[in-house]
Every structure is written in C-alpha cells, then in structure tokens.
Amino acid sequence: MAIETWDSPYIVIWLCLGVLATVLTFGTRGYSDKLNGLEAAFYSVVIGGLAILNGAALGQTMYDKTAKYDVWGSLGTMLGLSGPLIVSGLTLIVFYRCRVVKHPDELVVRGNDLEMGGSYLLSGITWFMFSGLLSGGIGGGYLVDELLGDRKGVIYALSMLLPIIVAIWLIAKYSKWMFKYIVWVLRRKGLLQIVDDEDSK
C-alpha cells in the first residue's frame, strides 16, 4: 500500500498506539534493570520507524489538495514525526526519575558535579529528545516556508531558520532542566546523595 493512500486517521491512531506500547515496554524494562544494549537499540529503531510512518500518515491525512501551499500537510508531517519522539523521551524521563528514586545512589552530587550511573534509559532519552526536537525544528522551518509562500527576502529567510534555532537551543537546555527536576525530586524526598570532596579523601 503506497504512502499516498495513508490518509486515514485510524492508521495514525494505530501507529501512535504502537509507539506508546513500545516506549512503555522500553521504560518498564529499563526501570527494572532488565534492559541490555541490543534491546534498547531495537526499541529505539522500532519507535523511530513508527514515528517516520506516523509523520507520513498524518501528513497525508491533513493534506489539502485544493490549497496552493501545503500548510496543513506540512504541519501534520511535523507533528506526526516529532510528536511521538518527544513524547517517548518525556515518558522515559518519568521512568528514569522513578528508577533514581528507587536507587538514589545512581545519582550523586559531588562538589559542583553531578555523577550518574550508566543507564540505557538515559541513552533513550538523549536520542528521542535530540531527534524529536531537531525534526520538529526542521519541520517548523519547512512549515514557515509554506506559510510565507512566494515571499522573498532576508527577513523571510531568517524566519525560516528561527524554528531550527529554537530546537537547537532546547536540545542544549533540556538535559540541564531534566536533572534539575530529578535533583529537586530527590531532595524533596530526602534521598539526594551529596558527597563532599573533603569527606571522600
């Protein structure tokens, strides 16, 4: 079946459910420390593939054949692709927070540094947030191009780059915000592990 015929919302729903089921399995196994590298890579590939198909399906579903510029189709493709990836990343953040609360020794504040134990959940978070935000930024730039239509000029060209710049900024910042949130949760629960450099000598 050609992608061009994927204009049914039911296909989008089933693809989103597939992403949800896969990321919940990923998170559950990562939380219980039953995840290995090959399995984590498999889940990441499955979620990425489903997100790509979802972007194509939602773009076709929202495509307006009568419009000169495919604004709605571009919006659907952007949301269909980046949405599942970002939601997957946020879901794994919740699982990682729960894991750290269960095993607070995996996150230690040592002086001004934050030391964390190795976890495939963190790798999944990094990949999904990076790819989701970047694809959202690129899709946003293409959407702005469709909205501008035939308009030309430096200002219009720069406005197309704005979503990509915002996406890169979010990629650089989200990790800091995530760990600030997790540290806050641990401190509020009295589980934060703080090691002074002088005490460790």
Side-chain angles (χ1 to χ4, degrees), residues 8-43:
S8 170
Y10 297 107
I11 295 177
V12 176
I13 293 172
W14 280 110
L15 288 170
C16 288
L17 289 176
V19 171
L20 180 61
T22 307
V23 75
L24 288 178
T25 304
F26 191 161
T28 302
R29 292 187 62 79
Y31 168 77
S32 57
D33 203 21
K34 296 179 180 179
L35 195 65
N36 57 52
L38 185 61
E39 191 177 359
F42 172 75
Y43 290 139

Side-chain angles (χ1 to χ4, degrees), residues 51-86:
I52 292 173
L53 294 176
N54 190 61
L58 188 57
Q60 286 296 318
T61 301
M62 297 178 63
Y63 175 63
D64 184 3
K65 297 179 181 179
T66 63
K68 181 179 180 181
Y69 298 102
D70 185 21
V71 175
W72 288 109
S74 299
L75 178 63
T77 301
M78 179 189 71
L79 294 177
L81 174 58
S82 63
L85 295 173
I86 294 174

Side-chain angles (χ1 to χ4, degrees), residues 78 82 86 89-90 93 125-138 140 161-179:
M78 179 189 71
S82 63
I86 294 174
L90 294 175
I93 289 175
I125 292 168
T126 301
W127 169 247
F128 291 134
M129 294 301 291
F130 171 80
S131 55
L133 290 171
L134 185 61
S135 61
I138 295 173
L161 296 176
L162 183 60
I164 301 176
I165 294 173
V166 172
I168 294 174
W169 181 77
L170 289 174
I171 290 171
K173 292 291 184 180
Y174 87 88
S175 181
K176 180 179 179 181
W177 296 337
M178 177 185 73
F179 283 112

Side-chain angles (χ1 to χ4, degrees), residues 66-196:
T66 63
K68 181 179 180 181
Y69 298 102
D70 185 21
V71 175
W72 288 109
S74 299
L75 178 63
T77 301
M78 179 189 71
L79 294 177
L81 174 58
S82 63
L85 295 173
I86 294 174
V87 170
S88 295
L90 294 175
T91 303
L92 292 186
I93 289 175
V94 174
F95 277 103
Y96 181 69
R97 182 205 65 182
C98 295
R99 175 174 173 77
V100 172
V101 169
K102 184 179 179 182
H103 305 283
D105 57 317
E106 290 192 2
L107 196 67
V108 177
V109 177
R110 187 182 300 275
N112 295 324
D113 298 325
L114 188 64
E115 298 180 357
M116 62 209 75
S119 173
Y120 292 113
L121 289 177
L122 278 177
S123 302
I125 292 168
T126 301
W127 169 247
F128 291 134
M129 294 301 291
F130 171 80
S131 55
L133 290 171
L134 185 61
S135 61
I138 295 173
Y142 188 75
L143 178 62
V144 170
D145 180 51
E146 294 290 337
L147 288 170
L148 293 176
D150 295 328
R151 297 181 181 89
K152 304 294 182 181
V154 177
I155 296 178
Y156 297 124
L158 291 176
S159 64
M160 292 171 53
L161 296 176
L162 183 60
I164 301 176
I165 294 173
V166 172
I168 294 174
W169 181 77
L170 289 174
I171 290 171
K173 292 291 184 180
Y174 87 88
S175 181
K176 180 179 179 181
W177 296 337
M178 177 185 73
F179 283 112
K180 275 189 174 182
Y181 166 67
I182 294 175
V183 167
W184 174 81
V185 170
L186 292 174
R187 181 179 284 116
R188 185 170 60 89
K189 293 180 177 292
L191 299 172
L192 184 62
Q193 307 289 310
I194 301 178
V195 178
D196 293 331

